[in-house]
Amino acid sequence: MVREKDVCWEYAEKLDGNKVRCKFCLRVLNGGISRLKHHLSRLPSKGVNPCSKVRDDVTDRVRAILSSKEEIKETSSVKKQKIAEARSPGNISTCSKIIPLEASSPVAKVFPATSPIAPPSLNSQENVERSIALFFFENKLDFSVARSSSYQAMIDAVGKFGPGFTGPSVETLKTMWLERIKSEVCLQSKDTEKEWATTGCTIIADTWTDNKSRALINFLVSSPSRTFFHKSVDASSYFKNTKCLADLFDSVIQDFGPENVVQIIMDSSFNYTGISNHILQNYGTIFVSPCASQCLNLILEEFSKVDWVNRCILQAQTLSKFLYNNASMLDLMKKFTGEQELIRTGITKSVSSFLSLQSMLKQRSRLKHMFNSPEYSTNSSYANKPQSISCIAIVEDNDFWRAVDECVAISEPFLKVLREVSGGKPAVGSIYELMTRAKESIRTYYIMDEGKCKTFLDIVDRKWRDQLHSPLHSAGAFLNPSIQYNQEIKFLGSIKEDFFKVLEKLLPTPELRRDITNQIFTFTRAKGMFACNLAMEARDTVSPGLWWEQFGDSAPVLQRVAIRILSQVCSTFTFERHWSTFQQIHSEKRNKIDKEILNDLVYINYNLRLARQMRTKSVEADPIQFDDIDMTSEWVEESENPSPTQWLDRFGSALDGGDLNTRQFNAAIFGNDHIFGL
């Protein structure tokens, strides 16, 4: 038979009637070789299920065959059209132009790609942008997707391919590409593991309790190169059971190798003492540390509860709600502030409050100018509202602005520390000095007001003593060259005891500690390579871990210890979490296959975001502030019965103090749609 000369018959077995069997997946198809081609091409057309096992080279070959046949059909169709036009010259019009037939979609029906009134410019920038916008709107994509590097890379790749590109099908995305990309991410993780023998690593246990009282734990591993997401665990059934949690941590430690792990960071929602004791007793060289970012947030939270600070924040929120809940009022504000937002959204409620006060203080004169302007006073849509009188009184109140200025002055030193320890960079060697300097800032600011100075320093000292300070922080400060050789530093003597305890833990045998005293002397007195000009010039300009790697050869044992200590992070805050995604992983309604796919998707998604964060990190980026304003925060959202804990109330009572701002724009307007369409 002539049709059996078709090259695609080598991929199929002919059966009775018009049936064929695919040699790759063994599926039987009705419709002969034509249906087989669409099956092998994996194109979502003609109702044919794509082959899940066909090789890529076969798919490319079959697609080329189908493409060439379509071109022949199109050429033939054009010829017939020209003949018809030649026979009926009087019927020629713009409406007789050939429009290629495409698979219809809901968007195509509502927004047709062509219009008889205005023929489209298919290559225009505007038309391309319109198509992309429709894709975002139809699929309810968060607009922030457009900021991702992969977004522009995808557009560039499609543009480079040219016309005729067909996107991968749902099945191809869920199988072949999911597996490939996961393998690529895993390989990157394996490459990073090679440095652990030198730098060690930190295990991060990041917890959250949802409104169903489920305890979700995310495990990450961090080293100087980057931070990787490891896995997410639902520990609801045993979160208060120390034995079960200890077993979980044991398994994670074994995943990374006890010899590689320097410390484990966990937040206060754990049975901290029980887990900490288990790890310290069973792993002689592993430290357990609190999350520095969480402790700093608790300090700022306590600051915001001081009566006059809380009153100042509530007054500022009255002003911001008035401005952000009237479209014309918001436009007027943007006009006077030069299109700048008045408020800021931070990684927690308290951070948002102090960042917003800081922003308001910068806009003070412009706000006064706006409320006194003719544009404001002559517009009845907002000038005559009852809230307007309150807002004018607040803006004209010098006591209010003095309180704002004071709030900014006491919070900024601790926001600065929070910036330094967040974002995944090694900060163990600097947090002790940063906290000391922040406390000095409070003392300097309140040099004439002993009462207020004591109020805020007591808060800091209590959180620092009870939750934040760690012997590892002291040892890091002692080994940090920018601190050790700074004549103005006064606290070195007080942290030496902690430093020796850490050395004893990391060097548990006399053989390992041999000559360590001489090596400490060589370092503290800047002898040997520590005294060379390059080493001295780099003390304040090179990261402490890298400095020891380059110039620590005169003290080899101490060098190894210093690199491992100074290479560690001290915070669980890496980037904004999307806890709704993790909730879906642990949903009991999902079948096993869905859960496996979603686990893989979350693994890829989280690690791609972490990689992007490391890759795009810039001096201008603020690790404690989000680009977009949370329009559901208490700085914007109006309430009939405002509550000091309004922000936390939306998360349910089981949040256990973890007040991360995770409400996203897409969740606010679209509800809780299934992530990734699963």
Side-chain angles (χ1 to χ4, degrees):
M1 294 176 65
V2 176
R3 66 175 186 171
E4 292 193 7
K5 292 181 180 179
D6 195 309
V7 294
C8 290
W9 278 110
E10 64 180 282
Y11 308 128
E13 177 185 349
K14 190 175 184 303
L15 303 177
D16 293 338
N18 201 25
K19 296 181 179 180
V20 293
R21 178 185 284 117
C22 173
K23 290 185 177 180
F24 295 100
C25 67
L26 304 181
R27 181 189 291 270
V28 176
L29 304 168
N30 290 314
I33 197 67
S34 176
R35 302 271 286 181
L36 177 78
K37 289 176 183 176
H38 287 283
H39 173 67
L40 296 176
S41 70
R42 296 190 288 204
L43 297 174
S45 61
K46 301 201 175 184
V48 183
N49 289 322
C51 182
S52 59
K53 297 184 179 180
V54 63
R55 301 194 310 271
D56 290 345
D57 61 311
V58 174
T59 295
D60 294 340
R61 184 182 184 188
V62 175
R63 286 186 180 185
I65 293 171
L66 290 174
S67 178
S68 63
K69 288 190 175 183
E70 289 297 323
E71 289 176 5
I72 293 171
K73 288 181 182 178
E74 187 177 341
T75 303
S76 176
S77 176
V78 171
K79 286 181 179 178
K80 289 178 181 178
Q81 180 71 16
K82 286 183 177 179
I83 293 170
E85 289 175 357
R87 290 176 180 173
S88 306
N91 294 330
I92 298 176
S93 70
T94 55
C95 294
S96 67
K97 292 182 179 178
I98 298 173
I99 300 175
L101 295 175
E102 297 179 355
S104 62
S105 70
V107 172
K109 291 175 182 176
V110 179
F111 303 102
T114 59
S115 168
I117 299 174
S121 301
L122 295 177
N123 295 322
S124 70
Q125 171 86 8
E126 188 177 44
N127 191 55
V128 174
E129 287 187 3
R130 179 177 179 276
S131 298
I132 293 172
L134 289 176
F135 174 73
F136 269 72
F137 303 152
E138 182 186 16
N139 295 285
K140 301 183 295 188
L141 296 179
D142 192 324
F143 300 144
S144 63
V145 169
R147 293 196 187 100
S148 69
S149 56
S150 56
Y151 169 72
Q152 187 59 47
M154 172 186 69
I155 292 174
D156 291 342
V158 173
K160 187 176 181 180
F161 184 92
F165 173 76
T166 303
S169 67
V170 172
E171 192 64 29
T172 304
L173 288 170
K174 287 173 65 175
T175 55
M176 182 186 75
W177 282 113
L178 181 63
E179 188 176 331
R180 279 192 183 183
I181 301 298
K182 182 185 177 184
S183 297
E184 291 175 13
V185 174
C186 286
L187 282 175
Q188 294 172 7
S189 174
K190 295 296 181 185
D191 289 340
T192 304
E193 288 178 21
K194 297 174 184 176
E195 73 178 9
W196 293 352
T198 302
T199 65
C201 65
T202 292
I203 294 175
I204 297 171
D206 195 10
T207 61
W208 184 64
T209 307
D210 67 8
N211 54 12
K212 295 180 181 179
S213 297
R214 290 187 304 180
L216 309 181
I217 309 174
N218 287 345
F219 287 99
L220 300 92
V221 58
S222 183
S223 56
S225 292
R226 61 180 292 186
T227 299
F228 273 97
F229 170 73
H230 181 52
K231 65 180 179 180
S232 182
V233 176
D234 180 0
S236 306
S237 60
Y238 53 86
F239 193 65
K240 301 299 182 182
N241 187 316
T242 303
K243 175 64 171 63
C244 293
L245 279 179
D247 291 341
L248 173 62
F249 274 82
D250 283 341
S251 69
V252 174
I253 291 171
Q254 293 304 320
D255 287 342
F256 302 122
E259 70 282 1
N260 294 320
V261 180
V262 175
Q263 70 168 340
I264 296 174
I265 296 178
M266 62 180 78
D267 58 49
S268 58
S269 60
F270 282 103
N271 179 358
Y272 189 90
T273 304
I275 299 299
S276 177
N277 288 340
H278 169 81
I279 293 170
L280 294 176
Q281 289 171 9
N282 289 274
Y283 302 95
T285 59
I286 297 179
F287 293 84
V288 178
S289 303
C291 171
S293 293
Q294 186 188 46
C295 295
L296 285 160
N297 180 63
L298 291 174
I299 289 172
L300 292 170
E301 190 177 305
E302 289 295 315
F303 281 8
S304 67
K305 292 177 182 177
V306 174
D307 287 343
W308 67 267
V309 177
N310 184 54
R311 186 165 54 252
C312 175
I313 291 173
L314 290 175
Q315 285 181 294
Q317 288 174 352
T318 299
L319 184 59
S320 65
K321 287 174 185 178
F322 176 64
L323 297 175
Y324 276 88
N325 281 280
N326 183 300
S328 54
M329 187 71 250
L330 186 59
D331 289 340
L332 184 65
M333 183 205 78
K334 292 286 187 72
K335 176 183 175 182
F336 276 84
T337 61
E339 297 302 317
Q340 296 294 309
E341 296 288 358
L342 186 65
I343 60 176
R344 299 286 184 266
T345 297
I347 53 179
T348 65
K349 171 190 171 181
S350 54
V351 171
S352 296
S353 293
F354 288 112
L355 287 175
S356 294
L357 289 177
Q358 190 178 93
S359 177
M360 278 192 175
L361 188 63
K362 291 178 181 178
Q363 300 291 348
R364 174 183 178 178
S365 60
R366 294 178 179 180
L367 286 173
K368 282 190 172 184
H369 187 200
M370 180 191 72
F371 279 106
N372 289 312
S373 68
E375 292 103 314
Y376 179 80
S377 59
T378 58
N379 194 319
S380 59
S381 66
Y382 40 77
N384 296 331
K385 287 192 172 186
Q387 303 98 307
S388 174
I389 299 173
S390 299
C391 289
I392 292 174
I394 291 171
V395 170
E396 295 297 332
D397 185 359
N398 289 330
D399 288 339
F400 166 72
W401 288 112
R402 275 193 291 271
V404 172
D405 184 74
E406 197 170 336
C407 287
V408 170
I410 62 172
S411 63
E412 179 53 31
F414 297 94
L415 290 174
K416 181 179 179 181
V417 180
L418 191 57
R419 289 185 180 96
E420 289 296 318
V421 302
S422 299
K425 66 179 182 180
V428 165
S430 57
I431 186 172
Y432 199 103
E433 181 192 15
L434 290 169
M435 287 298 295
T436 301
R437 291 187 184 280
K439 289 172 63 177
E440 286 301 319
S441 296
I442 296 288
R443 289 192 183 95
T444 302
Y445 186 79
Y446 284 126
I447 194 168
M448 301 299 290
D449 193 331
E450 187 177 339
K452 283 188 175 180
C453 182
K454 185 178 186 306
T455 296
F456 291 105
L457 284 184
D458 282 350
I459 292 172
V460 176
D461 288 339
R462 187 169 64 253
K463 297 298 180 184
W464 169 260
R465 181 184 65 249
D466 297 343
Q467 291 181 290
L468 181 54
H469 176 64
S470 163
L472 205 62
H473 298 159
S474 297
F478 190 89
L479 292 166
N480 188 336
S482 67
I483 295 174
Q484 180 64 229
Y485 300 122
N486 187 340
Q487 300 300 318
E488 297 180 2
I489 297 293
K490 307 298 183 184
F491 59 72
L492 280 173
S494 63
I495 64 175
K496 187 178 281 189
E497 183 178 353
D498 277 346
F499 168 64
F500 287 142
K501 288 180 180 178
V502 171
L503 274 186
E504 289 176 6
K505 185 177 176 70
L506 294 179
L507 303 173
T509 65
E511 291 75 21
L512 290 173
R513 294 196 293 268
R514 185 181 302 131
D515 199 41
I516 193 65
T517 302
N518 290 333
Q519 293 184 27
I520 295 171
F521 180 83
T522 301
F523 164 60
T524 55
R525 299 300 174 88
K527 304 286 185 180
M529 286 185 65
F530 296 121
C532 72
N533 289 331
L534 286 176
M536 290 190 288
E537 292 167 2
R539 288 172 180 172
D540 300 313
T541 58
V542 175
S543 67
L546 181 58
W547 185 88
W548 270 95
E549 185 179 336
Q550 295 296 319
F551 307 111
D553 292 358
S554 298
V557 177
L558 190 61
Q559 179 188 44
R560 182 175 184 276
V561 171
I563 291 173
R564 289 175 71 84
I565 292 174
L566 295 169
S567 297
Q568 307 313 312
V569 296
C570 54
S571 170
T572 65
F573 283 18
T574 48
F575 82 105
E576 184 185 5
R577 293 81 155 179
H578 294 280
W579 286 108
S580 59
T581 307
F582 299 111
Q583 281 181 298
Q584 289 197 37
I585 293 177
H586 305 296
S587 171
E588 294 178 359
K589 295 180 181 180
R590 295 197 175 280
N591 63 42
K592 185 177 180 181
I593 295 175
D594 269 358
K595 284 187 176 181
E596 288 177 355
I597 292 174
L598 192 52
N599 264 306
D600 289 345
L601 282 166
V602 170
Y603 176 81
I604 293 170
N605 178 262
Y606 207 142
N607 282 310
L608 287 178
R609 290 169 68 88
L610 286 168
R612 183 185 69 189
Q613 183 191 38
M614 294 294 293
R615 187 171 58 250
T616 61
K617 192 178 293 182
S618 64
V619 177
E620 296 80 15
D622 190 341
I624 66 172
Q625 179 180 312
F626 297 139
D627 295 322
D628 301 314
I629 290 177
D630 180 8
M631 301 303 286
T632 65
S633 82
E634 54 192 3
W635 284 84
V636 177
E637 193 175 70
E638 290 183 316
S639 173
E640 293 181 4
N641 299 302
S643 162
T645 59
Q646 180 181 358
W647 183 299
L648 291 177
D649 291 341
R650 291 195 299 275
F651 291 92
S653 59
L655 192 57
D656 288 342
D659 61 341
L660 281 173
N661 169 24
T662 55
R663 283 175 63 109
Q664 296 302 294
F665 171 72
N666 61 336
I669 63 173
F670 297 126
N672 295 319
D673 281 5
H674 290 305
I675 305 298
F676 302 115
L678 292 174

